[in-house]
Amino acid sequence: MEQAYSEWSVKRRKTAATLVLKILMVIAVVALILLTLVMTWFAVLGVLGAGFLIWYWPRFDVMTEYIYCDGQLDFDQIYGGEKRKNALRIEIEDADVIAPMDSSRMDGYRHLSVKDFSSREPDAKLYGIATKLPGGSDTKYVIVFEPNEKMLDMMRAKCPRTVEK
């Protein structure tokens, strides 16, 4: 029997806030290093700050990969093109609705908390999944993502009443 498998990835758009944060972090590290001229014990803080900057910098470059396999949808985040972290795994059979965010089927779920796995591009075609997260919690969330047509077709074949194109 053939498995329904599809994967798609989107790169998160860089915002002005991330640019400002990058600049502030670099200024802070440079200031700590320059303060070693005044007091030598600032060298330790400068080295720690530089280490933190090197460790944290890849987290600004985030790509989200969606992997659909036989009714299971994984959301993986890739930091700096190197580190992969599984952010969320859901069963689409447990979802209340999977529809475009501007659809009338999503109107009853607009008050729920949102988990955003989209690229945050202004012209992106966003879909929402209204579901409970795994782990036994009764709290429902809306998961925002950008699937491709192949993934939507496979999800619709699995759960035709839940998925709207």
Side-chain angles (χ1 to χ4, degrees), residues 12-145:
R12 185 177 294 165
R13 185 178 126 230
K14 292 180 176 32
T15 62
T18 58
L19 179 64
V20 168
L21 186 58
K22 281 181 177 182
I23 291 169
L24 288 175
M25 288 175 67
V26 169
I27 289 172
V29 169
V30 169
L32 283 173
I33 292 173
L34 288 177
L35 282 174
T36 60
L37 298 174
V38 178
M39 299 184 91
T40 55
W41 63 271
F42 274 111
V44 174
L45 292 177
V47 169
L48 288 175
F52 175 76
L53 189 64
I54 291 168
W55 173 76
Y56 195 77
W57 198 265
R59 285 172 173 53
F60 289 116
D61 185 28
V62 179
M63 186 181 330
T64 303
E65 186 176 60
Y66 317 121
I67 301 171
Y68 174 78
C69 186
D70 289 333
Q72 194 173 49
L73 186 59
D74 288 343
F75 297 92
D76 293 346
Q77 292 188 320
I78 303 166
Y79 298 102
E82 296 176 0
K83 288 189 174 184
R84 174 184 295 268
K85 179 182 175 192
N86 185 286
L88 183 63
R89 175 176 285 167
I90 62 167
E91 297 286 337
I92 66 164
E93 293 172 338
D94 298 336
D96 293 346
V97 65
I98 301 172
M101 287 302 290
D102 55 359
S103 170
S104 62
R105 287 187 69 188
M106 292 300 292
D107 287 344
Y109 302 99
R110 302 225 188 267
H111 67 282
L112 298 177
S113 297
V114 174
K115 296 229 178 251
D116 190 359
F117 293 106
S118 69
S119 66
R120 299 179 183 163
E121 291 288 338
D123 59 340
K125 181 67 175 160
L126 299 178
Y127 276 75
I129 303 173
T131 187
K132 293 179 187 174
L133 295 183
S137 173
D138 288 338
T139 307
K140 287 190 180 184
Y141 288 88
V142 172
I143 301 165
V144 179
F145 73 122

